[in-house]
């Protein structure tokens, strides 16, 4: 019997969905993780709303990621019965904290991971609905779809940007999602093992794009939200949010769709350069008395630029192949490390 079968690792088959081979002693475990930064005031309210029992799940545990808090966030979490604490000594950002939480949840044997916020903006009563597509083997990642049009503290501009950003992410990832920036999401063990976040700002957009392009089934479910308890710490200004979101999406394009990205970028210099060449040939055939050297130089430069973009796209495709191979090795390594951790915790194989 392999370690994967013996110690309860999730196996994803694109044809059959989420197949779990579990030892008889194993139970379905859900871990709810909450990234925290100076949340001693809001954390009690958020934790009070979290469930300890959910139909279809044998065990529910809580985990917080303390992202360099300078208040009593960790002490409050311990007093309120949080099961696991990832304590980062300095602030590393939301994306890093999210990944640190996923790694710890995997190490603790989570079959499903739910990510939510410490400011209690998401309605915790919707967690059972959020995990249903995973329990029913219809998806590996589920994004909570907020009622954007009815959220009072969302400005008209922010609502439009949310919709636009979601449309772009849906087009890139080919995933059926309706609220890409939502941090309220459920992730299966299989998907969590495969996710890598390179963006230092936020995990929300890149994780969807990466999962979609990795053929990880994604879906959305409608959720409810609570009233605003404090201003968003991620959204410092609308201008900053727009620039960072654009950068995150463009980075994902270059990483996961290099040939398509560089090909589309090459179209402008290719068309302009080709047009200048055709113009020069027409003038030459018409018996012009001028050499039109500047046009030829500009055409040559633009066509050379287009050619370099094609080469960059081809090199990007080669790097993408290598990245996929490294990703497979990383997945195996994460599986192995988690298996060793489970054995050490259980003690039966020591």
């Amino acid at each position: 019997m392999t370690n994967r079968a013996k110690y309860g690792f999730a196996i994803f088959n694109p044809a059959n969905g989420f197949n779990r081979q579990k030892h008889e002693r194993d139970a379905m475990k859900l871990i709810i993780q909450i990234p925290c930064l100076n949340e001693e005031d809001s954390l009690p309210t958020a934790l009070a709303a979290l469930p300890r029992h959910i139909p279809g799940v044998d065990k529910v545990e809580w985990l917080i990621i303390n992202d360099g808090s300078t208040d009593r966030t960790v002490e409050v979490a311990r007093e309120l019965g949080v099961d696991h604490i990832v304590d980062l000594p300095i602030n590393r950002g939301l994306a890093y904290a999210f990944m640190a939480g996923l790694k710890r949840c995997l190490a603790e044997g989570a079959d499903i991971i739910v990510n939510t916020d410490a400011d209690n903006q998401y309605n915790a009563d919707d967690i059972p609905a959020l995990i249903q597509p995973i329990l029913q083997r219809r998806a590996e990642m589920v994004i909570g779809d907020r009622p954007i049009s009815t959220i009072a503290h969302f400005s008209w501009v922010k609502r439009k940007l949310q919709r636009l950003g979601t449309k772009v992410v849906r087009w890139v990832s080919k995933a059926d999602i309706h609220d890409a920036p939502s941090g309220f999401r459920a992730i299966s063990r299989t998907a969590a093992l495969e996710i890598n976040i390179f963006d230092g700002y936020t995990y929300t957009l890149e994780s969807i794009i990466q999962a979609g392009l990795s053929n990880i089934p994604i879906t959305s479910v409608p959720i409810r939200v609570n009233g605003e308890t404090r201003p968003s710490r991620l959204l410092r200004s609308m201008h900053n949010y727009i620039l960072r979101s654009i950068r995150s999406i463009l980075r994902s394009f270059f990483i996961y769709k290099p040939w398509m990205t560089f090909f589309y970028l090459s179209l402008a210099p290719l068309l302009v350069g080709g047009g200048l060449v055709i113009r020069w040939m027409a003038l030459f055939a018409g018996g012009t008395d001028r050499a039109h050297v500047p046009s030829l130089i500009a055409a040559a430069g633009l066509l050379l630029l287009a050619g370099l973009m094609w080469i960059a796209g081809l090199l990007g495709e080669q790097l993408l192949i290598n990245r996929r191979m490294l990703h497979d090795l990383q997945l195996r390594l994460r599986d192995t490390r988690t298996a060793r951790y489970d054995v050490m915790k259980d003690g039966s194989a020591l």
Side-chain angles (χ1 to χ4, degrees):
M1 179 179 294
T2 64
N3 284 340
R4 181 181 293 268
K6 185 175 181 181
Y7 298 110
F9 288 95
I11 302 174
F12 177 70
N13 184 317
N16 301 322
F18 188 59
N19 299 323
R20 183 179 292 101
Q21 298 180 11
K22 296 178 68 67
H23 194 267
E24 289 181 357
R25 70 168 186 271
D26 290 340
M28 171 73 75
K29 180 188 286 190
L30 166 69
I31 297 183
I32 305 171
Q33 72 168 32
I34 308 177
C36 296
L37 174 61
N38 296 330
E39 303 287 2
E40 66 173 332
D41 294 328
S42 60
L43 191 58
T45 303
L47 291 176
L50 295 183
R52 277 296 190 180
H53 303 283
I54 297 177
V57 175
D58 299 299
K59 194 171 186 180
V60 178
E61 296 178 354
W62 301 344
L63 177 146
I64 72 157
I65 308 100
N66 175 43
D67 191 17
S69 297
T70 56
D71 63 359
R72 297 186 63 256
T73 294
V74 173
E75 290 79 0
V76 169
R78 290 197 177 104
E79 292 169 1
L80 295 175
V82 170
D83 302 281
H84 313 287
I85 297 175
V86 178
D87 194 4
L88 305 177
I90 60 174
N91 179 253
R92 301 296 297 272
L94 181 59
Y96 187 94
F98 173 78
M99 284 302 300
L102 285 192
K103 292 176 183 177
R104 179 63 180 272
C105 288
L106 289 171
E108 295 293 344
D111 296 291
I112 303 174
I113 302 165
V114 168
N115 186 84
T116 188
D117 282 359
D119 61 0
N120 197 38
Q121 68 164 300
Y122 303 113
N123 193 321
D125 292 338
D126 290 329
I127 291 179
L130 192 69
I131 67 172
Q132 276 304 306
I134 296 178
L135 293 176
Q136 296 171 359
R137 303 181 179 181
R138 294 189 290 109
E140 296 291 311
M141 182 182 292
V142 186
I143 312 298
D145 180 13
R146 296 169 292 180
I148 300 295
S149 60
T150 63
I151 299 178
H153 62 273
F154 274 22
S155 66
W156 180 87
V157 174
K158 186 174 181 180
R159 291 172 184 170
K160 294 299 182 182
L161 288 174
Q162 294 275 35
R163 293 193 181 98
L164 177 61
T166 296
K167 287 181 180 178
V168 173
V169 172
R170 185 163 59 235
W171 175 65
V172 176
S173 65
K174 309 302 181 185
D176 181 24
I177 48 97
H178 305 285
D179 186 8
S182 172
F184 194 42
R185 52 186 62 193
I187 306 167
S188 74
R189 183 179 188 84
T190 302
L193 282 166
E194 296 200 36
I195 290 176
N196 288 301
I197 303 298
F198 303 105
D199 192 333
Y201 176 61
T202 180
Y203 61 89
T204 54
L205 305 183
E206 184 178 357
S207 59
I208 294 173
I209 294 173
Q210 183 182 140
L213 297 180
S214 299
N215 296 320
I216 295 175
I218 311 174
T219 191
S220 296
V221 297
I223 61 167
R224 294 163 292 176
V225 295
N226 302 316
E228 185 181 27
T229 57
R230 58 165 172 76
S232 173
R233 292 171 180 167
L234 191 64
L235 183 60
R236 297 178 182 176
S237 69
M238 190 60 65
H239 179 262
N240 178 265
Y241 175 76
I242 293 172
L243 289 180
R244 287 181 176 271
S245 297
I246 291 174
R247 187 179 68 179
S248 178
I249 293 172
L250 288 178
R251 180 189 287 114
S252 298
F253 264 109
F254 282 105
I255 292 175
Y256 302 109
K257 290 286 188 180
W259 168 249
M260 182 191 73
T261 302
F262 281 105
F263 175 76
Y264 284 126
L265 288 176
S266 72
L267 289 180
L270 179 65
L271 293 175
V272 176
L276 288 175
V277 170
I278 294 173
R279 173 180 174 272
W280 181 87
M281 293 177 64
L283 290 172
F284 181 79
T288 180
D289 56 353
R290 296 171 54 192
H292 297 283
V293 174
S295 294
L296 282 177
I297 294 175
L302 290 170
L303 292 176
L304 178 61
L305 178 60
L308 290 175
M309 288 184 177
W310 288 1
I311 293 173
L314 292 173
L315 291 175
E317 286 294 315
Q318 295 299 316
L319 291 174
L320 181 61
I321 293 172
N322 292 334
R323 188 180 297 111
R324 287 170 178 166
M325 295 174 65
L326 291 173
H327 177 73
D328 290 341
L329 292 175
Q330 181 191 54
L331 182 60
R332 292 175 181 272
L333 181 61
R334 283 179 177 176
D335 249 343
T336 303
R337 285 178 175 175
T338 309
R340 290 174 180 172
Y341 185 86
D342 287 345
V343 171
M344 292 175 66
K345 284 185 62 180
D346 183 82
S348 60
L350 294 178

